[in-house]
Amino acid sequence: MEKFYITTAIDYVNGAPHIGHAYEKILTDIIARHYTQRCDDVYFLTGTDEHGIKIQKTAAAQGITPKELCDMNAQKFKDAWKALDIDYKKFIRTTDEDHEKIVQKIFDKLLKQGDIYKHSYEGLYCQGCECFLNPKDLTEDGLCPDHLKKPEVVKEENYFFKLTKYKDILIKYIKEHPDFIVPQFRANEVLNQLEDIQDISVSRAKSNVQWGIDVLSDSEQSIYVWIDALSNYITALGFDTENPSDTFKKYWPADVHVIGKDILKFHSIYWPAFLMALDLPLPKHIFAHGWITIDESKMSKSLGNVISPTSVLESFNLEHPDAFRYYMASSAPCGRDGNYSDDDFKEKVNAHLANSMGNLLNRTLSMLVKYFDGEVKPEFKGENPLAKKALGTVQIVKNHFDNFEIAEASLEIISLVDAANKYVQDNAPWTLAKEEKMIECGQVLTNVLDIMCIICALIYPYCPNITADMARQLSFNLKTKLDDLTADNIKTGKLISKEDIKPVFLRVDSELADKSQKK
Ligand code: MSP
């Protein structure tokens, strides 16, 4: 694998980030970090989606300009991603000047080649979705099924994109590429939607929507937000209709667009059609994750249960985001909805990260110090009964990541931790020491530490801070590529002194957590 280009959805900036946005960025960061362990060149893009009627109205309601609103909220997203250790390479804002210019050129090209045409239109527009809805998709009460709001009747002369021209070729493409849409069960939904697809409006009258990119050849119209937003995936790399940059040539097509299930239609129908019209290759995968609920209910401003990711870190007094990252990433099987609850969070991270993984390392190193002054003697090295399972787990984890099964991969890693714990329990090195079987005792400890290095590498994408501490105590190089991992990682000689042993993850303090007030 020479390069890996991965993107997230770009978030609307009419509010601050919540843990649903965070879930996606965490998943993406974990996938990106996993692939840095397999390939040298990973490009991770995220950003914010800043145009459209929703932003225009929110800004007006707050008595500020749309640009002021965007600047203020884009910064909140950047701050949140920093707090969560989201290690993106580029953060694109759709108000970036170079993005706006290229979007105008893209629109102009499609117009000139006849993929876009002008047409008078009356339709039902949902501001939440920023798109026209098909009357047959509304609820019985005539509401948008996602936002439960009545769409407004909009009558305008708009530009339209000839989506119908690409219908058959798209259906064929999706059928012939079963791994294009992940998880596969979503592909059928998309194929159904494609059956009654219409040409789509790709501009709005400036008299109604001022906060948008102008159509180059028509100052009365602004470019519809989804053409603008979706193009970020190529403009960020320096795409140009005439002279695409070397960066673009190197990274496009994307290896995966990570998005939520609610915007799959835009990514698996509109976006591929735009790309075909531009004569560009399609992304390799569209991975649609599920939604995060809070205590099993939908997060919404009206229910007052919107949680910001940084408030979780603060209320549990976490020194780094690893536990939250781990919890969110393992909250749901691939593509399914997940849930956040304070109690479940405490229980899971205490059980997995503190009790199982952290304690295992701590206990093993402490015994190495107690019985051998922290030294691994050459005679402790030999056949390791855990090696087969550990190296097998590396392969299984890689396979899961290839299918974007991030929670499934985490379960495999924890099952390796459990196996190592069981091995310690079964072989009781403390009894061996009492019986003065010192070589056997040293072998058991060394076997566990060798496997701990593999665990450390595998869990690194989820918990970059905890694993940095683990790696330091194990003298393990965290930059080791997964394919170079063996079961022989611990060097012989002095490994650690008593004062250098420290717990890598402290149990989340339940009293503190109970007292916490989430904003
Ligand atoms: N701006 C568009 C995306 C344009 S991509 C070219 C948008 N923005 S959004 O802010 O509404 O959502 C951003 C991402 O967050 C989407 O992928 C969406 O699915 C995801 N989530 C929003 N709420 C969520 C949850 N409650 N749970 C998980 N993800 C959710 O759509």
Side-chain angles (χ1 to χ4, degrees):
M1 191 185 291
E2 278 166 22
K3 63 91 191 170
F4 189 79
Y5 178 36
I6 180 166
T7 67
T8 69
I10 49 173
D11 303 307
Y12 289 129
V13 282
N14 51 321
H18 56 58
I19 66 172
H21 300 123
Y23 173 59
E24 176 174 287
K25 285 19 175 209
I26 290 170
L27 284 183
T28 312
D29 186 66
I30 290 173
I31 300 169
R33 285 180 191 259
H34 171 86
Y35 280 100
T36 58
Q37 299 180 299
R38 294 168 64 178
C39 126
D40 288 324
D41 199 353
V42 174
Y43 195 116
F44 169 9
L45 173 72
T46 191
T48 40
D49 188 357
E50 306 194 353
H51 293 120
I53 187 74
K54 206 160 34 182
I55 311 280
Q56 184 181 313
K57 288 201 166 169
T58 310
Q62 295 182 17
I64 54 177
T65 65
K67 180 74 173 108
E68 283 166 345
L69 178 75
C70 293
D71 287 349
M72 182 176 80
N73 283 338
Q75 191 56 45
K76 290 184 189 158
F77 279 87
K78 284 187 179 170
D79 292 345
W81 302 161
K82 187 159 184 235
L84 296 181
D85 282 333
I86 306 297
D87 194 15
Y88 54 79
K89 179 156 180 149
K90 177 164 177 165
F91 190 100
I92 188 171
R93 298 180 54 185
T94 54
T95 49
D96 291 341
E97 207 180 313
D98 47 352
H99 169 81
E100 291 186 343
K101 279 203 179 118
I102 301 173
V103 169
Q104 285 184 313
K105 284 171 96 172
I106 290 174
F107 193 97
D108 203 46
K109 179 177 159 67
L110 299 181
L111 188 64
K112 284 194 179 124
Q113 72 189 33
D115 275 299
I116 286 178
Y117 62 94
K118 212 166 185 183
H119 176 59
S120 183
Y121 181 72
E122 181 172 315
L124 298 170
Y125 197 83
C126 170
Q127 288 179 13
C129 299
E130 289 283 13
C131 73
F132 286 97
L133 300 178
N134 193 329
K136 85 171 191 18
D137 293 334
L138 302 181
T139 66
E140 277 179 10
D141 305 330
L143 307 180
C144 160
D146 281 345
H147 296 93
L148 299 179
K149 293 220 172 97
K150 206 174 171 71
E152 59 173 327
V153 179
V154 169
K155 190 171 182 194
E156 281 181 6
E157 183 161 67
N158 289 162
Y159 286 99
F160 274 70
F161 176 79
K162 278 190 192 158
L163 190 56
T164 44
K165 175 174 155 191
Y166 298 93
K167 175 178 164 179
D168 292 340
I169 172 165
L170 257 168
I171 292 178
K172 186 163 179 283
Y173 188 88
I174 293 172
K175 286 188 174 160
E176 283 174 0
H177 297 82
D179 59 353
F180 177 55
I181 296 171
V182 181
Q184 280 179 17
F185 67 80
R186 295 238 175 256
N188 277 339
E189 276 169 35
V190 173
L191 287 170
N192 283 339
Q193 286 168 334
L194 263 165
E195 279 309 326
D196 48 18
I197 206 84
Q198 308 283 325
D199 287 352
I200 49 163
S201 156
V202 286
S203 74
R204 294 293 311 270
K206 278 291 270 301
S207 51
N208 290 327
V209 184
Q210 293 91 48
W211 185 239
I213 304 175
D214 289 358
V215 172
L216 257 188
S217 56
D218 185 344
S219 57
E220 298 296 301
Q221 295 271 326
S222 61
I223 297 172
Y224 167 59
V225 286
W226 278 96
I227 277 213
D228 169 3
L230 289 161
S231 300
N232 92 87
Y233 301 131
I234 54 176
T235 64
L237 298 178
F239 171 75
D240 193 307
T241 45
E242 288 136 43
N243 255 326
S245 71
D246 288 342
T247 311
F248 175 78
K249 287 184 204 145
K250 179 167 177 197
Y251 291 104
W252 191 259
D255 291 83
V256 58
H257 293 313
V258 181
I259 53 152
K261 62 180 186 179
D262 56 317
I263 53 172
L264 181 58
K265 177 174 80 184
F266 302 102
H267 283 80
S268 58
I269 300 180
Y270 296 11
W271 181 227
F274 295 153
L275 287 168
M276 284 177 185
L278 290 169
D279 207 15
L280 292 175
L282 305 192
K284 291 186 199 146
H285 308 283
I286 313 282
F287 165 37
H289 60 74
W291 268 41
I292 296 294
T293 52
I294 307 289
D295 298 327
E296 310 294 343
S297 7
K298 198 173 168 182
M299 216 184 327
S300 81
K301 278 195 193 139
S302 49
L303 284 177
N305 64 350
V306 178
I307 298 186
S308 96
T310 40
S311 74
V312 177
L313 305 189
E314 282 159 20
S315 61
F316 285 100
N317 210 11
L318 297 171
E319 63 169 322
H320 52 58
D322 291 29
F324 181 64
R325 291 168 59 101
Y326 174 79
Y327 177 76
M328 294 304 280
S330 53
S331 68
C334 178
R336 304 286 178 185
D337 292 344
N339 182 56
Y340 175 88
S341 97
D342 278 353
D343 288 343
D344 189 40
F345 172 75
K346 265 185 286 186
E347 201 178 300
K348 192 163 179 185
V349 301
N350 282 343
H352 291 186
L353 302 182
N355 298 357
S356 298
M357 191 174 76
N359 272 357
L360 176 62
L361 178 68
N362 203 266
R363 275 201 302 161
T364 315
L365 287 176
S366 300
M367 283 189 273
L368 191 75
V369 165
K370 183 170 173 195
Y371 303 131
F372 306 104
D373 195 26
E375 189 184 337
V376 175
K377 304 200 164 127
E379 55 271 31
F380 296 168
K381 288 278 189 178
E383 184 130 342
N384 187 340
L386 289 167
K388 197 163 160 229
K389 164 136 179 121
L391 295 172
T393 303
V394 176
Q395 284 313 319
I396 296 172
V397 166
K398 279 170 65 183
N399 289 342
H400 278 314
F401 271 88
D402 288 342
N403 296 313
F404 308 106
E405 293 162 345
I406 316 307
E408 291 84 340
S410 74
L411 286 179
E412 284 297 329
I413 305 168
I414 292 302
S415 121
L416 178 59
V417 174
D418 291 343
N421 266 312
K422 181 169 186 305
Y423 172 77
V424 175
Q425 237 26 62
D426 290 350
N427 291 280
W430 49 90
T431 310
L432 294 171
K434 219 182 269 167
E435 292 166 356
E436 290 182 15
K437 294 179 178 157
M438 296 320 281
I439 294 186
E440 282 99 318
C441 172
Q443 282 169 340
V444 171
L445 298 178
T446 307
N447 286 343
V448 174
L449 293 174
D450 267 324
I451 299 311
M452 254 359 262
C453 295
I454 296 180
I455 292 167
C456 181
L458 292 178
I459 204 97
Y460 154 77
Y462 304 77
C463 301
N465 300 284
I466 292 178
T467 49
D469 266 357
M470 288 172 72
R472 206 170 308 121
Q473 298 182 56
L474 290 161
S475 291
F476 172 67
N477 179 5
L478 252 190
K479 296 219 154 71
T480 311
K481 295 275 186 243
L482 292 186
D483 283 343
D484 296 335
L485 277 178
T486 65
D488 179 16
N489 299 294
I490 299 286
K491 286 165 224 70
T492 53
K494 174 99 173 173
L495 181 69
I496 197 154
S497 310
K498 188 167 186 206
E499 55 278 14
D500 295 326
I501 299 180
K502 81 175 236 250
V504 289
F505 181 69
L506 295 173
R507 284 174 62 86
V508 169
D509 177 350
S510 46
E511 247 178 76
L512 174 81
D514 289 340
K515 275 190 254 147
S516 73
Q517 285 293 318
K518 277 195 295 296
K519 282 168 208 144

